[in-house]
Amino acid sequence: MQLLSVVVCLLACAVQEGLCGGWLPRPPAPVTTKISPKPTLAPIPTTTTTTTTTTTTTKSKLVPTTTSSTTSSTTSTTTTTTTTTTTTTTTAAKPNPTSNSGSCRNPTIRREWNQLSATEKNGYIAAVKQITNRPRSNQYADPTRMSADDFSYTHAQNAHWAHANAEFLVFHRAMLRRYEQALESAGWKGGLVYLDEGAVPTSWQTLDLFSSSYFGSMGSRGSCLPNGQFGRQSGYTVLGSDGTQKCITRCGSGNLWSAQLVARSSLAKATTYDEFRGDDTSNFHGSGHIVMGGQCDMGNSLWSPRDPLFYLHHAYVDKLYWKWQQLCPNYVTDYQGFLSPGVNPNSVLLGNSQPVSATQPLDSWVGLTAADVFDTNNDFLCYTYSKSSGDVDYAAARCKNGAQPNTNPWNTATKKRRAAVPGATPKKNEAAVVGSFDFHKAANNATQVTVTCGKKISTYSLPTGCEAHKIFCSHISLMPIGSSGKGVRTKASTATCPMVLRPACDKVTVYTRPSHLKPPVAGSSNQYPTFLTDEQIEDRGMDQCSIRASDVKVMQLVDEMNAGIA
């Protein structure tokens, strides 16, 4: 028996799990269809009416930056415009940021799906199809060459790092911007599109988005999307976990979080980045994946970008992050928490839980740091969001300087231009809990891990073919034996090696409704969002105790809102 002594960092938010998106379900197997190679998709036509021929060459430097050196590569794109000629316009990506100078003069306005015309909706989908039809570039610095498959692959590859730690919001913001640049290079100039989920929590399936004209309706688990421009009959396929092209699946149902619930539970109460990121196991982020994706692609934490709906959902999540940042000046750069909390017994390099740093490079996105994506008004991001029906009124906590928070960032009378964005202020980290773990063999020769944290002792039996990836006081995460710390999980490995093992739940919290409150009635503006079932919690390796405790808080908040006292 070998005893290794470690320090397991156990923040309060880590105790409750899901530091920033800790929903890590066991991926369902994508459905395979015999469609290879990818079908040829027509480029987006752009008809011009000029009477002369103009040639414009645009050069853009793509500068991946590290702490020790800087390298750059220059790409050149030529666009030719002639009379009554149909052309495809390709625009080089904006350079990686070298500063947050705030010289963004004409920000892109990211609009809600229902704010687009029918022509624009089809144009957006055509751009998505065009970048999906590109071969994988296997690089993440130049989005003008990236395929949709590149985005799906790197998201799956970095699942342990892009979720359940401080990188969650900034990683996905960088991902969205790169995807937006890829769409721009395919001719789409309308910016990313979001779905205002809070405005349609119970009626989302009735939107034209989910019709056969656009994204397609819900299907069933194990079956290709039945209709729409990404459905089976369209020939649309994307990279699957086994490296082959597969159709997409979507089988969601249930209620999303209402705009009022999001505002009162997150926007109104959070005063730090950590608090806003919060326990995402079952809030508006995780719920959006599960409700709209079910046990299909959107409900898969690794490969959810296979479904183009992923980007409308995450643009909505990013809009909420953007709205929170606008509340107080210091919120823009507020950034704290831990990366990769826990102990990795297999690698010294990954063994320590480290406080987050705004200047630390983001996983996947070459040359980008968290600081590069804080301010959407900088040169690299340069975007804002439209106002939509889900932007409801609410009262937020006052800013640190005592000023009233700006809950309406579209009100020019209250919107103040930031002369300079201050640097992020480190947050004092809470005390670590000293713990230890021990590997040993059970009577049946299975490998067991005993974790001791204070007075709490938990013993786990590792499934055959699995090894401990990270060890926490509250749980351990697993990887297939022989996988690197960032290895991609395949269909075969996931079937026998779950992502997380947790101790048995001690006591599940049950909601006891206060006598002065009543449950939502049919037709009321606020309904309970759909909660995970016990089976889904087990399948995703989640902590049932913390999930149900979170559900109870949400149910009481909804009841209070309906009673007019929240």
Side-chain angles (χ1 to χ4, degrees), residues 155-495:
H155 185 272
Q157 189 180 44
N158 286 284
H160 279 294
W161 313 88
H163 302 89
N165 67 59
E167 268 195 8
F168 172 68
L169 289 169
V170 290
F171 174 95
H172 285 87
R173 175 171 282 184
M175 180 179 185
L176 291 179
R177 179 58 186 133
R178 286 304 193 210
Y179 188 78
E180 187 172 49
Q181 289 176 315
L183 293 177
E184 290 170 356
S185 72
W188 171 253
K189 308 301 181 185
L192 281 186
V193 180
Y194 67 94
L195 173 62
D196 189 348
E197 300 167 18
V200 288
T202 61
S203 61
W204 57 274
Q205 290 195 56
T206 66
L207 299 174
D208 71 348
L209 174 69
F210 297 102
S211 71
S212 59
S213 297
Y214 300 116
F215 275 55
S217 57
M218 293 297 119
S220 58
R221 187 175 184 181
S223 299
C224 297
L225 192 66
N227 52 47
Q229 296 192 44
F230 301 109
R232 179 203 298 270
Q233 79 288 348
S234 72
Y236 184 83
T237 60
V238 284
L239 181 69
S241 60
D242 63 357
T244 64
Q245 293 296 307
K246 303 177 186 298
C247 66
I248 65 173
T249 64
R250 190 186 304 138
C251 51
S253 64
N255 295 339
L256 296 164
W257 280 47
S258 69
Q260 293 80 6
L261 180 58
V262 171
R264 286 162 175 75
S265 65
S266 299
L267 293 171
K269 296 182 178 180
T271 59
T272 67
Y273 175 88
D274 238 5
E275 292 174 355
F276 179 76
R277 179 169 52 84
D279 179 1
D280 199 61
T281 302
S282 57
N283 75 357
F284 55 85
H285 165 251
S287 177
H289 279 280
I290 298 301
V291 170
M292 293 189 290
Q295 295 289 77
C296 295
D297 287 332
M298 261 291 284
N300 181 333
S301 68
L302 282 74
W303 293 94
S304 48
R306 297 182 77 246
D307 189 340
L309 185 61
F310 169 93
Y311 296 96
L312 275 70
H313 171 56
H314 266 276
Y316 171 68
V317 173
D318 186 69
K319 178 185 176 179
L320 296 177
Y321 175 34
W322 171 82
K323 283 182 65 177
W324 177 79
Q325 288 181 303
Q326 308 310 305
L327 288 173
C328 302
N330 64 293
Y331 286 2
V332 177
T333 56
D334 194 61
Y335 187 54
Q336 69 277 135
F338 279 79
L339 292 177
S340 312
V343 174
N344 181 346
N346 306 305
S347 171
V348 175
L349 295 177
L350 303 176
N352 297 320
S353 175
Q354 58 188 81
V356 75
S357 167
T359 58
Q360 189 171 29
L362 292 176
D363 288 286
S364 294
W365 312 115
V366 177
L368 295 179
T369 67
D372 291 326
V373 295
F374 285 156
D375 188 3
T376 62
N377 194 51
N378 69 20
D379 297 337
F380 171 62
L381 297 177
C382 197
Y383 68 81
T384 185
Y385 282 98
S386 67
K387 186 173 184 178
S388 55
S389 56
D391 293 306
V392 297
D393 293 333
Y394 66 98
R398 286 188 175 275
C399 304
K400 287 185 176 180
N401 60 3
Q404 183 69 27
N406 178 20
T407 58
N408 183 7
W410 300 278
N411 186 345
T412 55
T414 59
K415 189 174 182 180
K416 297 180 179 180
R417 183 80 174 180
R418 289 185 300 272
V421 178
T425 302
K427 180 181 178 181
K428 183 179 180 180
N429 295 311
E430 298 184 26
V433 175
V434 176
S436 63
F437 63 91
D438 170 53
F439 286 88
H440 52 91
K441 290 290 185 180
N444 61 357
N445 206 37
T447 301
Q448 291 188 328
V449 184
T450 297
V451 182
T452 302
C453 290
K455 296 181 179 180
K456 182 179 179 180
I457 300 176
S458 304
T459 299
Y460 307 87
S461 293
L462 303 186
T464 302
C466 303
E467 63 184 3
H469 172 55
K470 294 290 182 64
I471 296 179
F472 303 77
C473 285
S474 57
H475 68 281
I476 64 174
S477 62
L478 304 176
M479 292 292 289
I481 290 176
S483 298
S484 65
K486 294 188 178 183
V488 175
R489 289 174 170 273
T490 64
K491 171 184 174 183
S493 67
T494 304

Side-chain angles (χ1 to χ4, degrees), residues 25-26 290-291 294-295 530-542 548:
R26 184 179 306 166
I290 298 301
V291 170
Q295 295 289 77
T530 297
F531 299 118
L532 293 172
T533 65
D534 290 347
E535 180 183 4
Q536 289 172 324
I537 291 174
E538 181 179 0
D539 187 51
R540 288 160 175 78
M542 294 177 173
R548 293 301 178 227

